[in-house]
Every structure is written in structure tokens, then in C-alpha cells.
Amino acid sequence: MEVQSLPAALALVAGGGTGLSPERRAALGASLPLVQRDYRFERVWFWGCIQGLRGAYYIAEGLGPDRAAPRSRLYSLNCLDWSLLTPATKEMLALAEQVKGRFQGDPSFDYSLSEINAEAAARLMESDKEPVMKEEARLVATIELIDRAAGIVPRGAFVKTPLGAVHENRHFEGLPLAEAKKLSSYFHLTEPVNLKNKTLLEKADLDPSTDFLDSLEHDIPRGSWSIQLEKGGTVVVLRSLLWLGLTFYHVPMTKQFGYVYFGTGEKNLDLPFML
């Protein structure tokens, strides 16, 4: 969510019963513009909050000119002081998917890899490294996993240039209500997977400047998204059932859209049995 429109955006997703206190909103409004200035980001998004047992992590993302480029991620424990997170590696992502249980709320907390992945622990011991995983590493890996699975944008909101860079579409004026109610009108803002497997015949009707991402209609398992009309049918809200707490909103025929996460950072592994 854009920092400037944060209060209004939080009101649009408040139907799920989550949000921020006035004090937290005021702190974000004061600190995130300073983060944008100090780190020289083009844009700063408030990503959401991961609630731990002893505290909460408030997450922000810094973006450059290319919206598809890797994002810089920061976390704060009080919405005022921000720390930059290191990019997630493949090993961190694999280990984070195997860690079970709630976050502690302490970035320095150690998870014993011998209890999570014995092979990974053995490799670390061979290279004279401690077989532990910091909660800070789990945090950035979890953010990356959620972004890959549930970070979405409306069709046409971003365009891909012939050189491969992705920019905001200045001509995007929002989806019509009839289109906004379809899952096929929303894309994952990450490297496409299903698109590469399409045949030439299936790609013939696609616009390479706007249809360069994967659509939500092909997500597995089927039924992992809930789509609803709220605020008297003026706002389309999508909620992820795989990552409970991820909420996306779009006001049809306007440029207003975004998503935010308020949850425990745990994947809903029971979803296939619930559908």
C-alpha cells in the first residue's frame, strides 16, 4: 500500500477485522517518508504486519524505477526505527517453508536446524557454521514466499517495455466492475511460471505489454482466493485462503488498488482439505 493513501486504503480492507491503531498509523506516516528519503527509494509501500508471540514485525518495501526488480525490505518493531533486511536466498526459502509454529517477535531468536532439516544442519556443520536459523532470516524468507504467492495487481496496472523493464501504466484507469469480479483480471507481480508453458495459440490473443504475468485463475489449489464486493458493491476485495491475512482491494474505474498482510506468517497447509 502506498504510504500517502494508507489511512484510506486500510479503511477499505477493514472488513476482515484487521488494521492499525491511530498511533501506529501516525508513526508510519512520519517514519516511512524518511525511509524513502534516506534510502533513495522511488516509492515505499507498507507491506503489512507479522504478529509474533512477544511482539510484531511491521514491514515496508522500497521500490526503484523497475517494479519487477527485487525489492528492498525493511522491518520495524515500533513503526519508527527501521532495519534493512538482507535478500532471501534459495536455502533460506527452503528452510523457512519447513519451520513450523509462530514467530517469536525477536529477530535474534535461533531456530535449531537439527530439528527442522538434518541434512541442512549437517552441511552447515561441515562448513564450520552453527546449525541455526535466525528469526530475521525466516522473516525475510516468509515475506518473499507471501509476495510470490499472493502479491497481486490488476490487469493493465503495469506495462512491460520492449527492454524488459516494468513500469506503472499511466493510462490505467481501473477495471470495469464486470471485469473486476473475475480472478482472470488479476496477476501475480512476480516472475511468471504458467505463462511460459502456454502454447503459441494460447499466447496469440495476449498483449505482451500487459499480459506478461501469471493470472490468479490458474493458482493451485483451485479455490485459494475469496473474491467479494464490499462497501455497497463499490470495492472488490480478494482474500488469500492460503496465506490467511493477505487482503487485496481495488476500486473499479479508479487507480486505487493495493494489498496488505496482517497475520502470523504461517501458511494454511490445511487448505486442500478445506475446499
Side-chain angles (χ1 to χ4, degrees):
M1 289 182 170
E2 293 280 358
V3 178
Q4 295 81 359
S5 60
L6 187 59
L10 287 174
L12 294 177
V13 300
T18 57
L20 293 171
S21 66
E23 293 81 5
R24 295 298 186 193
R25 290 201 300 268
L28 290 172
S31 63
L32 288 182
L34 298 179
V35 169
Q36 181 175 352
R37 182 199 66 185
D38 294 343
Y39 288 93
R40 298 181 181 180
F41 295 136
E42 186 171 290
R43 293 282 183 88
V44 171
W45 287 353
F46 174 66
W47 184 87
C49 170
I50 292 180
Q51 186 67 48
L53 295 174
R54 291 178 287 179
Y57 296 104
Y58 299 91
I59 313 299
E61 292 186 328
L63 295 88
D66 186 353
R67 293 296 186 263
R71 306 167 205 170
S72 298
R73 297 185 172 100
L74 306 96
Y75 77 93
S76 173
L77 300 176
N78 56 11
C79 294
L80 290 172
D81 304 308
W82 295 87
S83 302
L84 191 64
L85 290 165
T86 57
T89 63
K90 291 183 178 180
E91 184 180 28
M92 288 164 60
L93 293 172
L95 291 174
E97 287 189 305
Q98 298 181 50
V99 177
K100 302 294 186 289
R102 293 280 301 275
F103 279 80
Q104 298 297 313
D106 178 8
S108 61
F109 180 80
D110 291 330
Y111 294 93
S112 174
L113 291 185
S114 58
E115 300 176 4
I116 302 170
N117 189 319
E119 293 182 4
R123 287 197 299 269
L124 288 175
M125 292 179 68
E126 289 176 1
S127 57
D128 295 329
K129 296 181 180 178
E130 292 186 23
V132 296
M133 182 184 191
K134 294 284 186 184
E135 181 157 283
E136 190 176 64
R138 183 192 177 190
L139 177 66
V140 68
T142 301
I143 297 170
E144 178 68 24
L145 291 171
I146 295 175
D147 263 345
R148 290 183 182 184
I152 58 178
V153 294
R155 181 180 184 271
F158 292 87
V159 293
K160 188 174 185 178
T161 66
L163 297 178
V166 176
H167 301 289
E168 293 179 11
N169 185 0
R170 296 183 180 180
H171 301 289
F172 177 71
E173 295 296 338
L175 297 171
L177 181 58
E179 294 296 319
K181 293 188 290 184
K182 301 177 182 177
L183 277 180
S184 57
S185 298
Y186 301 96
F187 293 154
H188 289 281
L189 189 57
T190 186
E191 185 69 24
V193 177
N194 297 327
L195 186 65
K196 296 177 181 179
N197 299 326
K198 287 183 179 291
T199 64
L200 292 177
L201 186 61
E202 291 174 318
K203 293 180 180 179
D205 295 330
L206 301 180
D207 185 343
S209 64
T210 56
D211 300 319
F212 58 92
L213 299 169
D214 283 337
S215 169
L216 266 62
E217 64 178 336
H218 302 300
D219 281 11
I220 298 175
R222 297 295 179 94
S224 59
W225 289 97
S226 165
I227 184 166
Q228 298 169 327
L229 291 176
E230 298 187 0
K231 305 290 184 182
T234 59
V235 182
V236 179
V237 174
L238 279 76
R239 293 186 173 90
S240 175
L241 303 181
L242 189 62
W243 291 97
L244 298 174
L246 191 288
T247 306
F248 170 88
Y249 76 94
H250 175 48
V251 182
M253 303 305 296
T254 73
K255 296 183 177 182
Q256 299 180 57
F257 69 88
Y259 67 88
V260 68
Y261 178 81
F262 288 101
T264 60
E266 296 176 285
K267 191 174 184 179
N268 182 18
L269 300 177
D270 295 329
L271 178 61
F273 305 100
M274 298 167 64
L275 297 175

